[in-house]
C-alpha cells in the first residue's frame, strides 16, 4: 500500500512537471524606460552633446547608443551610455 502511494505521488509529480515544461512562454522584451534600452531595429539616433549650467560650473552630457548583444530570437539589444564631464561655462 505504501509503495502504491509513493508511485502515485511520483506519477502526479512527473505529469505536473511534464505539463509545465510543455508550455511555451513568448518572450516579452519591454523596458520601463526606453530612453536607456531598446530592443530591435536600427541604431537609435544620437543626440548632440548637452551642456547643463550647474551654477558655478557647467556639465557636458554625451549619450551614446551601443549594441549589447542579441535576444534569444535574434533581435539587437541597444543600451545607452551617458558620459558626463565638467566644463567651464560660456
Amino acid at each position: 500500500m505504501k509503495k502504491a502511494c509513493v508511485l502515485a505521488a511520483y506519477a502526479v509529480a512527473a505529469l505536473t512537471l511534464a505539463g509545465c515544461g510543455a508550455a511555451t512562454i513568448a518572450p516579452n522584451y519591454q523596458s520601463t524606460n526606453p530612453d536607456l534600452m531598446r530592443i530591435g531595429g536600427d541604431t537609435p539616433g544620437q543626440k548632440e552633446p548637452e551642456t547643463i549650467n550647474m551654477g558655478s560650473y557647467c556639465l557636458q552630457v554625451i549619450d551614446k547608443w551601443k549594441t549589447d548583444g542579441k535576444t534569444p530570437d535574434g533581435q539587437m539589444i541597444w543600451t545607452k551610455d551617458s558620459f558626463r564631464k565638467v566644463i567651464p561655462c560660456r
Side-chain angles (χ1 to χ4, degrees):
M1 180 70 167
K2 224 177 190 181
K3 287 184 180 180
C5 288
V6 170
L7 287 176
Y10 282 133
V12 169
L15 288 173
T16 302
L17 290 175
C20 291
T24 301
I25 299 172
N28 181 14
Y29 306 112
Q30 295 284 331
S31 173
T32 57
N33 190 348
D35 290 334
L36 299 178
M37 181 184 82
R38 295 188 184 167
I39 304 296
D42 293 331
T43 307
Q46 304 285 357
K47 288 189 339 182
E48 291 294 320
E50 178 182 5
T51 302
I52 303 169
N53 188 331
M54 304 297 285
S56 59
Y57 64 94
C58 286
L59 191 64
Q60 183 182 49
V61 180
I62 300 171
D63 295 329
K64 293 187 179 185
W65 287 94
K66 66 175 182 167
T67 179
D68 211 3
K70 290 187 176 188
T71 62
D73 62 352
Q75 297 183 65
M76 296 298 290
I77 299 173
W78 298 98
T79 56
K80 182 169 40 171
D81 288 333
S82 290
F83 301 97
R84 289 160 170 45
K85 176 172 69 171
V86 175
I87 60 171
C89 294
R90 294 181 188 171

